[in-house]
Every structure is written in C-alpha cells, then in structure tokens.
Amino acid sequence: MAIIHELSPHLADLIAAGEVVERPASVAKELIENAIDAGSTRITVEIENGGITYLRIADNGCGMSAEDAPVAFRRHATSKLRTEADLTAIGTLGFRGEALAAISSVTRIDLFTRQTGAIAGLHLHLEAGEIQAQEEAGCPEGTTMVVRDLFYNTPARMKFLKKDFTEAGYILSVVQHAALSHPEIAFTLIRDGKQVFTTDGKGKLLTPVFSVFGKEMTANMIEVPRTERNGMTVYGYIVKPHAGRPNRSMQHFFVNGRYVKSRLMQAALEEAYRNAIITGKYPSGAVFLELPLGAVDVNVHPAKTEVKFSQEKPVFEAVYVACKNAIMANDNMPHIEHKEKKPSAANPQEAAPVYEQQRFAVAKPVAQPAASSKADDDVPDLEDFLVAVPPRAQKPRSFGMYAAAPRILQEDSKPYSSSRPFAVNQPDIQNEKRDNAPAVPVGQAAQPTVPESPQLEPLDSGARVIGECFQTYLIAEDQDGLILIDKHAAHERILFNKLRAETEMPQQELLTPVIVELTGEEAAAIQTQIEDIRRAGFAIDPFGENSFAVRSVPAYLDSGDVQSVIGELAEKAMHSRSTVPDRLDDLIHTVACKAAIKAGKASSLTELQNLCDRVLGDENVRSCPHGRPTTVRLTKYELDKLFKRVNQ
C-alpha cells in the first residue's frame, strides 16, 4: 500500500495554525495588524480569561463586502499581493493570507463587518474553519471579530498555554507594540471588563511612550530626533544612561511600522551606551527605523517578528549614530525628586504636594565644529556584535578615535562605502602629537614624581564648592540648587576621556622592572593580548614561563598598582569573548580607574573646585566608564519642598 499520501485540507489547516497561532496573543497580533491595514483610526481589544475563551477586536476601518468576507477565511487569500514583484516591496503588516484561515481552524469566530457608506453589514459564524451561518446584520462601519474557545478542537494544544493573567500580559504587549508603532491610532484594551490600556490616537509618539513605559521611566527618557543616514531614518525615545535596567525586556524595535526582534538594532543601541551605562545594566526605549521597502525582507518568519536587511552595516550605523548623538546631546544628570505622602484618612492635615508639570528630556542640538575630518573606526564594526561571524583580526588603532569633548556624529559628504566608516567632526589627530602630553620613550630616565592627573585648563562652571562629605562626595551649589559629585567616578571619567584621545600614550619608565607572577591560564591570556596592552602604555615582555617584566607604565599610573592592574587585565582577557569590540577601551578603563582619586582621600578646596568646574564644563563626564553617574542634582525647589517652604 502507498506510504506517502496527501494531507486532508483540515489537517493541513491545523498544521498551518501551529505555525501562526501559538497563543491568544498570536490571534490578537494578526487581527490587530489586519485592522491597521484597513485604515482604522480606533481599535478596541477586549479579552476574557486571558483571551482563551473570548477575544474581541473592533475597528472603524474600511470593512469588507459580502463578496469578500467569506473568501478572506480561505488559505492564501489576500488583498495585499498580486504579482511576484509585490514580494520585494511589502508595505503592509499582513500579506500572507494565512492568518484568518489558521485562526478560524482552531476557534469559533463571529465576524461583523460593514463597508463605509453601506446600508447593511454582514455577519459570518465559523467553526473549525467552516462557515456555519451567513446573514445581513446591523453593525457599525468597520470590522468586529469575536474569537471564542481557542484550541477547542485541539485540546492537546491547551496544555501549553499559561495562566490567564500571563496570557493577558502577552496580549497587552501586542497592543503596546501596535500603539507605539502607530500613535495616530487610538487603542483601548479591556481585560475582564476593566480598561487597562488606552492611547488617544493624536499622533504624538510621547503619548504611547508614556502609556507603555510609565511616568518614572519616561521622565528619564531622551528623544532621538529624526536622523537621516544611509538613505534611512531613525527616531524614537531612549533612557538616560543612569536609568538602565537589569534586562532587555523594555527594548522595542520597529522597522517600517512593524515591531521586530532584531539583534542588529539591539547591538547598535547598546553600543551607543558603551562606557556610559552601568555594567550589567541594559538600555530601554523605543527605536524606529524607516528604510526603503526593497531593503528589508519581512517574509522570513511565520509570525513576521523577524526581518532580514539587504545591507546590515548601514542599518547598524544609522541606529548607532542617532542614539549616540541623542545621548551626547543630553546632560544625562540624575535629579533627586522629593516624594511626599498624600493626605491620609488618619491625618487629613497632611499637605498634598502640588507637583511641577513633568518635563521630558529632549536631545538638544550640539554646536558643530567648523571643520570636518575623517577618523577611522568611530563606528564599531558590525561583525564585533554578531556571534555567528568569525572574529576578525585586530588591527593597530589610534587613541584618537574618540574626542574628549562633546561631539555629534554626522554623515560624510561622500557616498557610503562598506570599506569606509563614517566620518566624525573632530580635529585630525592621527599624525599629530599633543603638546601637553608628550610621549616618553622607553629607556629615558624615570620622572621623579608621578602626576596624579592630566594638566587641565581651568574652567569656571558657575558653581561654588562648599566642601565634601565622607571624603568621597564633592558638594557644590549653583543658582539651581545643590550638586553632588563622586570624586573618584568623575576623575576616572576625565582620565578615561583624555587617555582615549591621546595619539600616543604617555609613558614613564620604572626605575626597576616590576615582575608580575601569573597562573598559567592568566599568562596565556595576557600573551594573546600583549600587543593591545603595549599600545595602552605598558612596556611588557615575557619573563620566564608564567611571569612578565613590566618596564614602563602609563604616566598617570602609580608603580604600586602595576601588579593589580596586570592581574585585572589578565582576568578580563580570560573571560572576554573574541567579539569584544574594543579591547583598548577596557585597558584604558583599567588604567583610569587605578589612577583616579581614591574615595576616602581628603582633597583641598582648590582641588575640589577644579574638579567641579571640569565635571560641569564637560557633558561627556556624566558617568564613569562603568556607567555609574558622576553627578546628581538636588534642585532648590526640591529643597524648599523638603523644608515645607512651598505647597503648604
């Protein structure tokens, strides 16, 4: 007898449903996308029992005719595609023609639809994909889809569903993504008779951002202005570096109005926060990318949650530049907010505070330098973030790849080339040595003293230093309130920025070499990165099987820290992946941390004032290289509230 046979249409539909319909949220996603494609300006989602027993989605879109509605539930029936060429320029959210067929095969559905201007509407009732009833009905313009009893005819699938509130949470995420990508549409979600989410549909992105991220996180967000680069546009809202989260759950990416999961955009966003966010924390936000339809393939995943870009590096650069500029253009300074208790029944005399209107941080334009020149490797190579790509050979790099002053990244006037990174507006320092930090060749006599910090030009920030507390935190005041500065974190960042900007690392030769003893594993790790360590300012050579002789160190490093620094570098080398984008940053970071003012060390008022002016005068010193904030502000208004001078 024949072994191979053709599946029945019903069984084929059930298999297709397994690819498209995973849970109630899958149903909600497909139906919401259809409602968006129908030109709706208002979409209401109502669920009961997590959407398992009842899910209703109503829109005010174009509706369907009595002729089209029954056909919509057939497999591969769609109004979005006509020819093969249409597949290369898909601009709608739904297009496969599988969603309604797959959903109807595992549910009971009631469809109510009426076209704009039509006298009567249509009602369809389907079970297991078969139309059971078709009749005229009075209904509002648009389409209402009521889906009941998901997986009623495939009970084995029911055991994979989670509890009702968990499934409802998945649906909430779907609605939130739709609201973020389409702020011009008013969305409402009703769960078990209670409204839990709503947007006004007035077209302002900040409204759904506030609804999705909440008041506290939105208050710590900065706007990414519309940035055009490589024929693409990037915009959105991202958090200030100090407001990182312990996971990536609040990262939302959109491509041409479609919510996607993109490792590429995720890597670009996180690279923009490099050396600005606390280690182990992740940025949050909503980042939108618009590009030509032919440059992205949305037909690579059954649920359409993944896309493929024809050219990945330009996408990486566009997202990175837009987010980096937004971060650099903002002060990124945390503000202390005093929260008072509301009047209680037990004590009605408690004063109810009158809070100031919340102001959302928006990226401010940065003055552009007069001249523009090229600097290699300012945009990290994309391959450094894709584990699947083999690690590339490390090439010699200049410390001039970053400027210590605030900067804004711009597209060069020449067309994009995959072999040429974009240019950065900063002086050309590739072949120029700085006069204030000359390199000391190995072999010269050692300097009698080690400078504690680079020579910095005096600045006047307008703030007056009052003193310090715990020999750790600098206290200053200006016309707006109190300023607290972490001495070590701030000095570490200043050193880090200066060392990154050096074209040639200033060194000091040690009077006697320091012999560093390591384990076999540590010695092997140091050996693999010894050239990078040398470029960071160390004259280091093997000295025996598991030892190294250090003859010169960076000029700002105390000789007593050599052993611990090399040990720390060995630890990092042992545990770093081959895809770490810039080992030099890690090395410079270690040097800056060891050379910076230590917490618990007393400082003179002159030293404190100089440090305060330097920190407040440089917007690139808002966090240490670990990502911890260097500066916190307590406004006069908050002080007045603490002492009950306002809102009494």
Side-chain angles (χ1 to χ4, degrees):
M1 58 180 294
I3 298 177
I4 300 176
H5 60 278
E6 187 176 0
L7 294 175
S8 66
H10 178 63
L11 184 55
D13 286 342
L14 291 179
I15 295 174
E19 297 178 352
V20 177
V21 184
E22 179 184 3
R23 53 181 11 105
S26 305
V27 178
K29 175 181 179 295
E30 298 292 346
L31 298 183
I32 289 174
E33 289 180 350
N34 285 344
I36 294 173
D37 288 341
S40 305
T41 60
R42 185 178 65 255
I43 299 176
T44 301
V45 181
E46 184 178 359
I47 62 174
E48 294 178 4
N49 304 118
I52 299 173
T53 61
Y54 182 85
L55 169 64
R56 181 178 71 90
I57 296 181
D59 67 65
N60 64 344
C62 63
M64 291 182 284
S65 67
E67 180 182 3
D68 288 337
V71 180
F73 290 92
R74 299 177 188 173
R75 289 195 67 190
H76 308 303
T78 179
S79 62
K80 317 296 174 57
L81 300 177
R82 293 291 182 183
T83 65
E84 181 179 337
D86 293 338
L87 281 173
T88 62
I90 296 174
T92 56
L93 299 178
F95 58 89
R96 296 180 182 224
E98 296 178 307
L100 290 182
I103 294 169
S104 65
S105 66
V106 291
T107 61
R108 297 184 174 97
I109 290 182
D110 282 288
L111 167 71
F112 299 88
T113 184
R114 180 163 71 94
Q115 288 184 308
T116 303
I119 298 176
L122 176 71
H123 168 229
L124 290 180
H125 177 72
L126 299 91
E127 294 189 9
E130 298 293 331
I131 297 178
Q132 305 294 324
Q134 178 175 344
E135 58 187 358
E136 285 190 354
C139 55
E141 293 181 349
T143 300
T144 298
M145 194 83 70
V146 180
V147 181
R148 295 184 175 90
D149 304 328
L150 180 63
F151 300 141
Y152 81 98
N153 55 348
T154 54
R157 300 281 302 279
M158 290 288 293
K159 65 181 181 181
F160 293 100
L161 297 180
K162 301 184 182 299
K163 294 182 178 179
D164 291 356
F165 68 86
T166 303
E167 295 296 342
Y170 291 135
I171 293 178
L172 174 60
S173 295
V174 168
V175 177
Q176 288 177 337
H177 293 151
L180 285 170
S181 60
H182 294 276
E184 75 282 2
I185 300 177
F187 285 89
T188 301
L189 174 61
I190 302 171
R191 182 180 64 196
D192 297 325
K194 181 180 179 181
Q195 180 175 296
V196 295
F197 181 85
T198 183
T199 60
D200 59 15
K202 294 183 178 180
K204 293 185 178 180
L205 179 58
L206 190 59
T207 300
V209 165
F210 186 92
S211 298
V212 172
F213 291 93
K215 176 183 177 181
E216 183 175 351
M217 186 175 292
T218 306
N220 284 309
M221 279 188 162
I222 54 180
E223 182 182 6
V224 180
R226 296 184 72 90
T227 304
E228 295 187 4
R229 180 178 177 80
N230 300 332
M232 310 172 191
T233 301
V234 179
Y235 62 95
Y237 283 87
I238 55 178
V239 296
K240 292 184 176 182
H242 70 83
R245 289 172 54 85
N247 54 57
R248 298 184 174 97
S249 62
M250 297 299 283
Q251 292 182 2
H252 306 291
F253 301 104
F254 302 85
V255 176
N256 290 342
R258 181 190 304 274
Y259 169 74
V260 299
K261 299 175 182 177
S262 173
R263 289 181 55 241
L264 180 68
M265 296 177 67
Q266 171 190 306
L269 173 66
E270 293 181 4
E271 178 61 14
Y273 284 81
R274 182 173 171 79
N275 296 315
I277 196 168
I278 298 175
T279 303
K281 299 290 186 179
Y282 300 94
S284 303
V287 180
F288 298 81
L289 173 66
E290 295 177 355
L291 72 170
L293 299 179
V296 58
D297 184 2
V298 300
N299 193 28
V300 296
H301 190 276
K304 305 187 291 292
T305 56
E306 297 178 9
V307 296
K308 185 176 182 180
F309 301 102
S310 59
Q311 292 186 347
E312 294 186 331
K313 189 169 185 178
V315 173
F316 181 93
E317 290 183 1
V319 175
Y320 170 81
V321 169
C323 295
K324 185 70 172 180
N325 282 341
I327 295 170
M328 297 295 293
N330 192 268
D331 64 7
N332 300 321
M333 185 185 298
H335 286 226
I336 298 176
E337 180 182 358
H338 170 60
K339 297 181 179 179
E340 298 191 34
K341 294 181 179 180
K342 296 181 179 180
S344 61
N347 188 4
Q349 301 300 321
E350 287 184 289
V354 180
Y355 292 101
E356 290 184 312
Q357 183 177 1
Q358 182 64 59
R359 295 177 297 174
F360 299 102
V362 179
K364 304 171 185 176
V366 176
Q368 302 177 12
S372 176
S373 59
K374 299 179 178 63
D376 291 337
D377 294 330
D378 276 84
V379 174
D381 286 332
L382 171 61
E383 290 82 356
D384 293 329
F385 301 94
L386 301 181
V387 178
V389 178
R392 59 191 176 93
Q394 293 288 327
K395 62 180 180 179
R397 321 178 49 164
S398 162
F399 282 97
M401 62 180 180
Y402 294 99
R407 57 200 169 88
I408 190 162
L409 309 179
Q410 290 187 328
E411 187 172 7
D412 191 61
S413 57
K414 296 183 179 181
Y416 171 79
S417 168
S418 60
S419 62
R420 181 183 66 80
F422 71 91
V424 176
N425 282 351
Q426 66 181 45
D428 189 354
I429 55 179
Q430 296 296 324
N431 300 310
E432 177 185 339
K433 295 182 180 179
R434 293 173 180 257
D435 295 333
N436 64 337
V440 180
V442 177
Q444 289 189 4
Q447 298 295 328
T449 59
V450 178
E452 292 188 0
S453 64
Q455 297 298 318
L456 303 174
E457 296 180 5
L459 295 174
D460 184 6
S461 64
R464 181 176 70 89
V465 171
I466 301 172
E468 63 177 334
C469 60
F470 311 115
Q471 295 183 335
T472 301
Y473 303 107
L474 180 158
I475 306 174
E477 67 171 349
D478 62 8
Q479 61 182 2
D480 296 323
L482 280 181
I483 302 168
L484 305 177
I485 298 177
D486 185 324
K487 293 194 305 181
H488 173 76
H491 193 210
E492 179 183 359
R493 185 68 192 210
I494 292 172
L495 286 173
F496 180 77
N497 291 346
K498 182 170 180 60
L499 293 176
R500 288 174 96 190
E502 295 290 349
T503 58
E504 195 169 340
M505 179 65 69
Q507 292 180 322
Q508 60 159 338
E509 186 176 357
L510 302 176
L511 292 174
T512 58
V514 175
I515 307 302
V516 180
E517 299 284 346
L518 301 172
T519 66
E521 188 177 1
E522 290 173 336
I526 287 291
Q527 189 64 52
T528 61
Q529 297 189 14
I530 196 166
E531 292 302 322
D532 287 330
I533 295 174
R534 287 169 177 164
R535 284 197 292 275
F538 292 87
I540 181 172
D541 294 291
F543 189 81
E545 186 174 356
N546 296 325
S547 303
F548 291 86
V550 181
R551 296 179 173 84
S552 295
V553 297
Y556 311 123
L557 188 66
D558 191 286
S559 59
D561 291 327
V562 173
Q563 179 79 39
S564 62
V565 169
I566 298 300
E568 186 174 333
L569 296 180
E571 179 72 16
K572 289 183 176 181
M574 288 168 54
H575 296 93
S576 67
R577 301 177 300 170
S578 59
T579 53
V580 172
D582 193 348
R583 293 192 183 114
L584 289 180
D585 268 6
D586 290 334
L587 300 179
I588 296 171
H589 177 192
T590 302
V591 172
C593 184
K594 295 296 182 182
I597 300 171
K598 302 297 187 292
K601 178 181 178 181
S603 304
S604 69
L605 199 62
T606 301
E607 291 174 328
L608 293 174
Q609 185 66 58
N610 185 40
L611 179 63
C612 176
D613 292 339
R614 176 59 49 182
V615 171
L616 298 181
D618 187 350
E619 292 185 356
N620 202 29
V621 191
R622 289 295 179 260
S623 65
C624 76
H626 301 88
R628 292 187 294 109
T630 62
T631 310
V632 172
R633 178 181 290 278
L634 181 60
T635 65
K636 182 179 182 300
Y637 178 77
E638 295 297 341
L639 284 170
D640 289 341
K641 290 205 303 185
L642 284 169
F643 288 97
K644 310 298 182 183
R645 288 180 173 270
V646 295
N647 300 328
Q648 296 298 323

